Amino acid sequence: MNDRNFLERTKQFALYLAELQTVLDPESYALLLRILKGFNEAIVHRENGVDIPFSPREKELLTPEFGRVLTRLAGYLGPHGMQVVVGTHGSPPPAAEHDRSEVDAIARASGMSP
């Protein structure tokens, strides 16, 4: 990654975030900032994931549109972006569960034990 690319993505991130402050309701924007703080923690501490607990009201705000906003913002954070997964604590998200069953099926088909 070159510095020019990084600077351009940073600029786009800041512009989009400023736009969101004007179009999102205050409650959704506050939630967005809290999630971005979690993104920052994951990046700074080089973690594979961050668990952000949500109140029942915050869960209501996690609409598909809100997810698209998060995905777009995460895309500015690196050449491959970050993956945003919303799931329940203690259980794998549906995609991870599906991926695991696919890997198990491939292992069985290859004569390996999953």
Side-chain angles (χ1 to χ4, degrees):
M1 161 179 54
N2 64 42
D3 287 344
R4 179 179 166 88
N5 203 8
F6 173 76
L7 293 175
E8 182 59 30
R9 283 195 328 272
T10 302
K11 178 182 168 186
Q12 293 302 314
F13 179 90
L15 289 172
Y16 187 49
L17 191 59
E19 176 188 335
L20 291 171
Q21 187 173 15
T22 64
V23 298
L24 290 178
D25 62 90
E27 207 175 12
S28 294
Y29 189 73
L31 177 59
L32 179 66
L33 292 180
R34 199 161 77 75
I35 293 170
L36 289 175
K37 182 179 177 187
F39 283 6
N40 185 62
E41 291 295 314
I43 292 168
V44 168
H45 299 293
R46 300 193 189 286
E47 296 175 13
N48 290 332
V50 172
D51 184 23
I52 303 170
F54 298 111
S55 71
R57 173 62 186 141
E58 289 172 328
K59 288 178 185 177
E60 291 175 11
L61 297 172
L62 295 172
T63 63
E65 177 60 30
F66 192 87
R68 286 188 288 277
V69 166
L70 282 174
T71 300
R72 183 171 171 189
L73 282 170
Y76 293 123
L77 298 176
H80 302 291
M82 296 180 72
Q83 182 180 19
V84 179
V85 177
V86 177
T88 56
H89 182 67
S91 63
E97 191 174 296
H98 172 74
D99 290 348
R100 183 72 214 156
S101 67
E102 289 291 315
V103 169
D104 289 349
I106 291 168
R108 278 192 294 280
S110 301
M112 300 165 51
S113 68

